[in-house]
Amino acid sequence: MANLSTAVFLSCCLMLAFLEEPEAFCFMEPNGCEKYKPGDIWETDDCLSCECVVDQNDSDVAACCSIYSTPTGVHEDCEVIWKQEECKYDVIDKNTKGPCGHMHGAVGK
């Protein structure tokens, strides 16, 4: 069943690509074959910020990066919890489940 839905999805994207007027655009597959023009900016359900840009080869591409920071150097008494609906990590104390009282770093965003 997954192969059939993938084939239908790809057919959708290919049909849109050939039926559209010849202008620049990006397709974002995880968002259900959505089309974006250069300069468009959007956020995905998986916490990415994307922009449709023209690269050095004059190709239209979706350039994406995360909209969250990833904790680093978390103390052994603490744990990292991912909150998908908020696109963020919480660092909490393993025992009290409150905020971690130890210093830690973060990368990204």
Side-chain angles (χ1 to χ4, degrees):
M1 186 63 99
N3 290 338
L4 178 60
S5 62
T6 301
V8 170
F9 169 75
L10 290 175
S11 297
C12 162
C13 285
L14 290 173
M15 284 181 7
L16 283 174
F18 288 111
L19 293 176
E20 291 294 325
E21 312 155 5
E23 72 177 65
F25 57 85
C26 299
F27 281 116
M28 189 65 179
E29 293 178 16
N31 285 348
C33 203
E34 292 186 39
K35 182 178 87 169
Y36 299 93
K37 292 182 179 181
D40 286 351
I41 298 173
W42 67 97
E43 289 185 2
T44 67
D45 292 339
D46 54 348
C47 302
L48 297 175
S49 176
C50 299
E51 181 177 4
C52 184
V53 296
V54 179
D55 69 9
Q56 66 270 17
N57 298 319
D58 282 337
S59 298
D60 305 314
V61 296
C64 300
C65 59
S66 64
I67 58 175
Y68 56 90
S69 298
T70 303
T72 60
V74 176
H75 192 274
E76 63 186 23
D77 292 341
C78 301
E79 66 181 320
V80 177
I81 305 291
W82 173 245
K83 296 185 137 192
Q84 176 70 35
E85 63 282 348
E86 298 176 41
C87 292
K88 74 173 198 166
Y89 286 101
D90 278 347
V91 181
I92 63 170
D93 185 286
K94 287 180 182 177
N95 296 320
T96 67
K97 302 301 181 196
C100 176
H102 301 281
M103 294 289 291
H104 64 276
V107 297
K109 193 170 178 179

